[in-house]
Amino acid sequence: MAGTRLDPIDRKILAELQADGRMTNVELAKRVGISAPPCLRRVRTLEESGYIRGYHADVDSRELGFEVQVFAMVGLNSQAEADLSAFEELCRCWSLVRECHMLNGEVDFILKCVAPDLSTFQSFLTEDLLKAENVASVKTSLVIRDAKDEPGVPFDVLEERISRNA
Amino acid sequence: MAGTRLDPIDRKILAELQADGRMTNVELAKRVGISAPPCLRRVRTLEESGYIRGYHADVDSRELGFEVQVFAMVGLNSQAEADLSAFEELCRCWSLVRECHMLNGEVDFILKCVAPDLSTFQSFLTEDLLKAENVASVKTSLVIRDAKDEPGVPFDVLEERISRNA
DNA sequence: CGTGAAACCGTCGCCCC
DNA sequence: GGGGCGACGGTTTCACG
């Protein structure tokens, strides 16, 4: 459950599995310095307690034909909780929207979208997003190129922080 | 290599491994309807040809203590290629910056950052990002909550597109 | 792409600290 | 409580048809 404190071995396990999610358990055990059975037990515990939400292959979207990546800034007319939730539920249904984050400040949401080409994205934009209930404004920015795209968290920052507070 | 056309079984493999990167090869083979050895050969080919870039455990950043997630819009003074590259290289060195995408339009880059707390982020912002060479303006937006955060691509869009063009 | 075989791995029960 | 040892069943990964 949440709040369970992690020891250094657990954090090493998380860091290793974040870097290579298909590592075998024996290899993982070797790297973190314990034998396989307790290592597997720890992994299962981390999965069940929610520290590990799942494992995903990182597929190359552009090689697969998704040439277009777009960030969309969305402003709503009403920021009542029911209206925010309704918009979020819409985003969960739209396949082209991969991420939807609620923000502070002038804009209400940022959406990360992918599409095979510009016309697919533009028809989504005009037919779905701009026509959606409560949407007041949408500003889109095309991604020219990715300089960095790392999933997960920086474990070096975590370790540095823990050793400072020790 | 790039451009190699994928058959329906390859696409199914990618979709399954994107959804569950730790699936065993026999389970994967069963799901895509072939036996284990050719299935493994296909996976290896997909890895070597770059369709699969890697496998990552999806760790819960907030449970791990990264309470703060921020999008930063960065404008540069010079957009000469050497200056763009220099900024990108900086971003690759900053652990708190998980993603750095170059955009079209008024802002040059969007950065997705994580941090254990606001003060850690603010010291990064003022000590590193705002002091960096060539950085003209930075606008930050705190993430209040995540409505959707799916890695990878929507395979349903891909399949629909392929069947239309068949 | 499928079959078979060998090596390896995930997993469990038990014992130990 | 967690870690190690040993063993069984399943899996990975060959060579070959």
Side-chain angles (χ1 to χ4, degrees), chain A residues 18 21-23 53-58 73 88 95 98 100-102 117 144 146-147 150 156 161, chain B residues 17-18 21-23 53-56 58 73 95 98 100-102 117 144-147 150 156 161:
Chain A
Q18 177 176 280
R22 276 212 104 160
M23 190 181 300
R53 282 194 289 237
Y55 304 87
H56 305 285
D58 176 16
M73 311 296 204
E88 292 177 334
S95 295
R98 307 312 291 168
C100 169
H101 310 278
M102 183 175 155
D117 49 47
I144 308 281
D146 297 328
E150 307 232 331
D156 54 348
R161 185 178 176 71
Chain B
L17 285 179
Q18 178 177 279
R22 273 205 95 123
M23 189 181 300
R53 283 195 288 236
Y55 303 88
H56 305 285
D58 176 15
M73 311 295 205
S95 296
R98 306 312 291 167
C100 169
H101 310 278
M102 184 175 155
D117 50 46
I144 308 281
R145 69 188 188 207
D146 297 328
E150 307 232 331
D156 55 348
R161 185 178 177 71

Side-chain angles (χ1 to χ4, degrees), chain A residues 145, chain B residues 75-89 102 108-109 133-134:
Chain A
R145 69 187 187 209
Chain B
L76 301 185
N77 290 310
S78 156
Q79 283 82 23
E81 175 54 34
D83 298 314
L84 295 171
S85 300
F87 178 73
E88 292 178 333
E89 188 52 35
M102 184 175 155
D108 295 309
F109 289 95
E133 192 81 23
N134 196 30

Side-chain angles (χ1 to χ4, degrees), chain B residues 93-157:
Chain B
C93 298
W94 287 326
S95 296
L96 296 185
V97 176
R98 306 312 291 167
E99 299 181 24
C100 169
H101 310 278
M102 184 175 155
L103 300 180
N104 76 338
E106 55 202 277
V107 64
D108 295 309
F109 289 95
I110 185 168
L111 274 46
K112 186 200 269 186
C113 309
V114 296
D117 50 46
L118 260 183
S119 75
T120 303
F121 176 75
Q122 300 224 356
S123 84
F124 160 73
L125 179 62
T126 55
E127 299 302 312
D128 297 321
L129 186 51
L130 285 167
K131 284 185 181 166
E133 192 81 23
N134 196 30
V135 167
S137 71
V138 178
K139 278 195 179 180
T140 60
S141 288
L142 265 156
V143 172
I144 308 281
R145 69 188 188 207
D146 297 328
K148 185 176 189 176
D149 199 352
E150 307 232 331
V153 299
F155 280 96
D156 55 348
V157 172

Side-chain angles (χ1 to χ4, degrees), chain A residues 60-107:
Chain A
D60 189 317
S61 56
R62 284 205 150 84
E63 268 207 78
L64 253 174
F66 289 87
E67 309 279 351
V68 172
Q69 195 176 352
V70 185
F71 283 92
M73 311 296 204
V74 178
L76 301 185
N77 291 309
S78 156
Q79 283 83 23
E81 176 54 34
D83 297 315
L84 296 171
S85 300
F87 178 73
E88 292 177 334
E89 188 52 35
L90 270 178
C91 288
R92 286 190 206 99
C93 298
W94 287 326
S95 295
L96 296 186
V97 176
R98 307 312 291 168
E99 299 181 24
C100 169
H101 310 278
M102 183 175 155
L103 300 180
N104 78 337
E106 55 201 277
V107 64

